[in-house]
Amino acid sequence: MADSLNSIDFMDTLVEGGFPEKQAKALALVMYQLIDSQLVTKSYLDMRMAELRAEMAQLKAELIQLIVTVVVVQTGVTAVLFKFLH
């Protein structure tokens, strides 16, 4: 995506605006590097999505385990209370 910055056109615009050519080249290079360093690639996003899906699956399993534990404990408490009240 950094290719979408046409550094030559950018540099020409700076030169036309009054920048010395050396400064324009340096600024174009720095801008290109800055933009390139901040871009996220599709492969990175795909990798992160796979990691997030794995984390969500783990959380789902832990939540199901917690719910089953609460239901079992609640059933036990209800049975004990029922026995004592009757």
Side-chain angles (χ1 to χ4, degrees):
M1 190 155 180
D3 294 335
S4 65
L5 172 68
N6 186 331
S7 56
I8 294 173
D9 287 344
F10 182 67
M11 186 183 73
D12 289 343
T13 302
L14 292 173
V15 170
E16 289 171 11
F19 277 78
E21 188 172 341
K22 190 173 181 177
Q23 272 186 329
K25 283 181 183 180
L27 186 55
L29 177 62
V30 169
M31 289 295 292
Y32 181 84
Q33 290 171 342
L34 176 65
I35 290 170
D36 190 50
S37 71
Q38 299 300 314
L39 292 178
V40 176
T41 63
K42 183 178 182 320
S43 61
Y44 173 81
L45 290 176
D46 289 342
M47 179 187 66
R48 264 316 269 149
M49 283 299 293
E51 291 172 3
L52 290 174
R53 283 190 178 108
E55 289 177 28
M56 288 190 319
Q58 178 65 32
L59 289 172
K60 181 180 177 182
E62 290 175 12
L63 183 59
I64 289 170
Q65 183 179 8
L66 177 64
I67 290 171
V68 168
T69 302
V70 167
V71 168
V72 168
V73 169
Q74 182 180 11
T75 303
V77 169
T78 302
V80 169
L81 288 175
F82 186 77
K83 183 174 183 169
F84 282 129
L85 294 175
H86 284 93

